[in-house]
Amino acid sequence: MQGTKIYQEKLFNNFQLSSRVPKTNFYRRLSVVLKLDFLRNQTKLYYGNCGQKSIDPIVFFKLCLVGYLENIISDRKLIEHCSMRMDILYFLGYDIDEVLPWHSTVSRTRQLYPESVFETLFTHVFKMCFDKGMVSGHTQAIDSAPVKANASMDSLELKVPASDLESHLASVRQISERDKAVYRKAKENKASLEQQTITANKKQLDSITARNKRWSITQDHRPGAGNKGSRYTSNKTHYSPTDPDARISVKPGKARKLNYMSQLSVDTGHHVISDVQAYHADHKDSQCLEDISERLSNRLNSFGLVWENCVADTGYSSGEVYAYLETKGLKSFIPPHGTYKGGPDNFKYYSIPDLYLCPQGKVIPFKKVFFESKNNTKKKEYRASSKICIDCPLKGSCLGKSKEKKFTVTFYRDEYERNNQRINSRQGRYMKGKRQSTVEPVFGTLTQFLGLRKINTIGIKQANKVMHLSAIAYNLKKYLKFVNKKVKSGVKTPRLTFLYKNFFIPVIYSVLRPLKFRFIYC
């Protein structure tokens, strides 16, 4: 007989979330291990003693973590999603008939708390991973990735000098057809006067002027030139009034976008994120490494861990970085740029007394140390007298139009060579594989599955909070999945076998051999 289900609401129900949420559920397991009571004392300073009660700080942080665990970056959609999930309601401590906080409350509370509170929570979760044996500490892989800012390229405006804008445009910049029209005007200009003022020198502006002129000729009339981010722009001449902290960045083959830079450090033991921070997207990776290493060293040292190996890609390569890491007692495994040369080809270098020998055996001595004006990099100059090369058979190909042999080498040549020796060693090849299998997949997980595909806030401080919450969500998932492999009772057998074969038998053999006993080595 066919059954028919008739739905009729009951006036009274006996319902308990704890009986409906399975004990194996992710959020139920997470609620058991994640204790956030300490956050009330951390956030107490930011509330008054009277007025309407705010959202519970523990509920706020749990809501934020749910958003990143569920890959939801909109606060409005987050509240809608949580209200439909019984396991999430149980995790938040809400009953099925209780109303969740308003979505704007989550946004205002995120702005209320400073970055230090989010960093404290990150350190707390990192300690949970450390206590479970998931952190080794000795090797850290570092990488970076751009994260899209909450601002449009069409809202960009020109920076102006202290002089009049019209005279500036007439003197330094060629206006292309796209710049004659304003496509999108920001409702409010949040940039300070300093952020709206040009700080580039005349040489940099002239270079940008030439690029814009070429761009207006070759690109303005091509198909797709009207799309977002298709025009040539620079951080030296443009700023975003919507989010002044966002910076224009570009990857090869992709359009220019307003981004933030996420710098991530991952422990190679069990892929636990050990540090994360937001930086301006126009900074080089090598400029951020010193700040990263200071912060990361302090965190690892607070847990009694010793950091030994720093693994990163070529973007972090510079002589200053190599020298800094050596002063900290760290081994760098950072491939150098392809432009690095330890000196001219076929020239031999002698550290004492700091000179080069050319293929003809002529001495090219060291002359001076100076800073290159273009990149402000420290270099050493080597120069030989014109009399030395006057009868050289290689003079035409070696000197060219100059009369004397002169070249420059980076001041940190010795640091480069020591790093290159480590990179080309067996350990260096192993570290390269570790970096590719550790930090790069972690970034992919954060951007694709844990809500870091876009920053949904304004300002670099708020972006830093977003990155910390995404990293906390990742570490919590690793924490719940991690199984500590307990050793079986027969663990000592291999060690005893090793001692038996490699110590006891050779000793017995050396004693019995003079007595001419027949002994079978097994």
Side-chain angles (χ1 to χ4, degrees):
M1 179 178 177
Q2 186 181 32
T4 303
K5 178 71 175 69
I6 300 174
Y7 173 73
Q8 184 175 358
E9 288 187 341
K10 297 179 181 179
L11 185 60
F12 301 101
N13 284 298
N14 183 15
F15 183 86
Q16 286 184 323
L17 277 175
S18 58
S19 62
R20 293 300 183 99
V21 180
K23 292 184 178 180
T24 56
N25 179 266
F26 174 83
Y27 287 104
R28 181 155 189 168
R29 292 166 55 210
L30 184 59
S31 64
V32 174
V33 298
L34 186 61
K35 304 299 181 183
L36 303 179
D37 296 334
F38 69 95
L39 289 173
R40 289 198 177 96
N41 291 330
Q42 291 281 333
T43 58
K44 190 175 182 180
L45 298 173
Y46 309 105
Y47 294 101
N49 297 324
C50 59
Q52 188 177 1
K53 288 186 177 180
S54 70
I55 182 176
D56 189 333
I58 296 178
V59 173
F60 163 75
F61 280 102
K62 284 186 175 182
L63 269 172
C64 290
L65 289 176
V66 168
Y68 292 98
L69 290 168
E70 298 291 322
N71 200 17
I72 300 173
I73 61 175
S74 169
D75 293 335
R76 191 188 298 269
K77 289 183 179 180
L78 173 63
I79 298 300
E80 293 177 358
H81 181 80
C82 293
S83 62
M84 300 294 292
R85 290 275 297 271
M86 289 191 298
D87 56 346
I88 296 178
L89 290 174
Y90 180 82
F91 174 65
L92 297 174
Y94 276 69
D95 211 336
I96 197 168
D97 59 345
E98 287 187 88
V99 179
L100 289 173
W102 195 246
H103 64 85
S104 62
T105 305
V106 178
S107 302
R108 290 196 301 268
T109 307
R110 187 189 294 111
Q111 295 176 9
L112 174 65
Y113 298 153
E115 298 170 87
S116 58
V117 178
F118 293 81
E119 292 173 2
T120 302
L121 178 57
F122 175 83
T123 304
H124 174 76
V125 175
F126 183 77
K127 184 179 184 301
M128 291 169 55
C129 298
F130 169 76
D131 293 338
K132 202 172 184 179
M134 300 172 61
V135 183
S136 59
H138 55 78
T139 304
Q140 303 293 318
I142 303 174
D143 202 0
S144 66
V147 183
K148 190 178 184 306
N150 193 12
S152 171
M153 288 285 288
D154 285 345
S155 65
L156 290 177
E157 293 189 9
L158 281 168
K159 292 183 177 181
V160 297
S163 59
D164 179 60
L165 175 60
E166 294 299 328
S167 61
H168 166 66
L169 292 176
S171 60
V172 300
R173 195 168 185 277
Q174 174 74 27
I175 306 177
S176 65
E177 289 189 6
R178 272 188 55 87
D179 291 327
K180 292 179 181 178
V182 178
Y183 283 78
R184 182 180 297 178
K185 188 74 174 178
K187 295 180 180 178
E188 178 187 357
N189 194 335
K190 300 179 181 179
S192 63
L193 183 61
E194 182 181 358
Q195 291 170 324
Q196 298 180 45
T197 305
I198 283 185
T199 56
N201 56 39
K202 187 178 184 304
K203 187 176 180 180
Q204 293 171 328
L205 289 175
D206 290 341
S207 175
I208 293 171
T209 302
R211 291 180 185 179
N212 275 312
K213 191 172 183 178
R214 289 197 304 271
W215 191 270
S216 64
I217 296 172
T218 61
Q219 301 291 331
D220 264 6
H221 301 285
R222 66 178 176 82
N227 296 339
K228 295 180 182 179
S230 62
R231 58 178 168 171
Y232 182 84
T233 46
S234 171
N235 290 307
K236 294 183 175 65
T237 57
H238 289 77
Y239 74 96
S240 170
T242 307
D243 187 358
D245 288 336
R247 296 289 187 270
I248 303 166
S249 66
V250 63
K251 293 187 70 175
K254 295 187 179 181
R256 294 170 178 266
K257 291 183 179 180
L258 287 166
N259 293 325
Y260 286 99
M261 186 64 68
S262 176
Q263 295 285 351
L264 192 72
S265 303
V266 180
D267 185 84
T268 57
H270 294 281
H271 300 194
V272 175
I273 298 176
S274 53
D275 185 73
V276 65
Q277 189 75 12
Y279 291 88
H280 292 298
D282 56 348
H283 283 185
K284 294 181 180 179
D285 289 340
S286 57
Q287 295 174 331
C288 305
L289 189 58
E290 183 174 342
D291 182 50
I292 296 169
S293 60
E294 285 287 343
R295 189 172 53 253
L296 184 55
S297 296
N298 293 335
R299 179 173 289 118
L300 295 175
N301 291 340
S302 66
F303 293 102
L305 299 172
V306 179
W307 183 18
E308 298 177 359
N309 305 315
C310 179
V311 188
D313 60 15
T314 309
Y316 296 87
S317 172
S318 75
E320 292 82 357
V321 167
Y322 297 144
Y324 172 79
L325 293 177
E326 286 190 4
T327 59
K328 292 292 182 180
L330 298 173
K331 295 180 182 178
S332 60
F333 292 89
I334 306 174
H337 287 287
T339 56
Y340 166 74
K341 293 179 67 175
D345 294 336
N346 301 323
F347 279 57
K348 292 183 179 180
Y349 176 71
Y350 294 91
S351 57
I352 300 175
D354 195 4
L355 54 83
Y356 281 86
L357 281 183
C358 75
Q360 296 296 316
K362 305 295 184 181
V363 176
I364 316 296
F366 163 73
K367 288 297 181 181
K368 65 178 181 179
V369 176
F370 68 100
F371 285 89
E372 192 178 40
S373 58
K374 184 178 180 180
N375 299 319
N376 197 30
T377 55
K378 198 173 183 181
K379 290 195 172 185
K380 298 170 74 174
E381 181 182 297
Y382 294 84
R383 185 173 71 250
S385 172
S386 58
K387 297 179 181 179
I388 295 178
C389 303
I390 194 169
D391 297 326
C392 181
L394 303 177
K395 180 179 178 180
S397 59
C398 184
L399 296 184
K401 295 182 180 180
S402 61
K403 296 181 180 180
E404 58 186 11
K405 184 62 178 176
K406 182 175 73 172
F407 56 87
T408 60
V409 179
T410 175
F411 181 81
Y412 303 98
R413 182 188 184 280
D414 294 339
E415 287 81 357
Y416 265 101
E417 293 299 326
R418 286 192 289 268
N419 175 78
N420 293 349
Q421 188 176 2
R422 287 191 293 269
I423 288 294
N424 297 324
S425 65
R426 183 177 180 181
Q427 186 184 13
R429 293 189 292 272
Y430 170 78
M431 290 296 180
K432 179 181 178 180
K434 268 292 184 183
R435 176 182 62 80
Q436 293 174 340
S437 63
T438 300
V439 67
E440 293 178 3
V442 171
F443 253 129
T445 303
L446 293 178
T447 55
Q448 298 298 320
F449 305 107
L450 293 175
L452 203 60
R453 62 187 179 275
K454 180 182 177 181
I455 301 297
N456 63 335
T457 56
I458 300 296
I460 192 168
K461 292 183 179 180
Q462 302 299 320
N464 193 31
K465 299 174 187 178
V466 169
M467 293 179 187
H468 273 87
L469 287 170
S470 181
I472 291 168
Y474 176 88
N475 282 348
L476 286 174
K477 291 191 75 171
K478 296 289 289 186
Y479 180 87
L480 289 182
K481 290 181 180 179
F482 180 74
V483 178
N484 195 0
K485 297 179 181 180
K486 295 184 178 179
V487 181
K488 298 181 180 180
S489 58
V491 66
K492 294 184 179 180
T493 304
R495 185 177 295 178
L496 291 175
T497 304
F498 176 82
L499 292 174
Y500 178 72
K501 285 187 175 183
N502 294 276
F503 180 73
F504 293 114
I505 288 182
V507 170
I508 295 173
Y509 181 74
S510 63
V511 172
L512 296 181
R513 186 175 181 180
L515 301 178
K516 298 182 180 180
F517 278 89
R518 186 177 180 183
F519 189 84
I520 299 176
Y521 188 87
C522 58

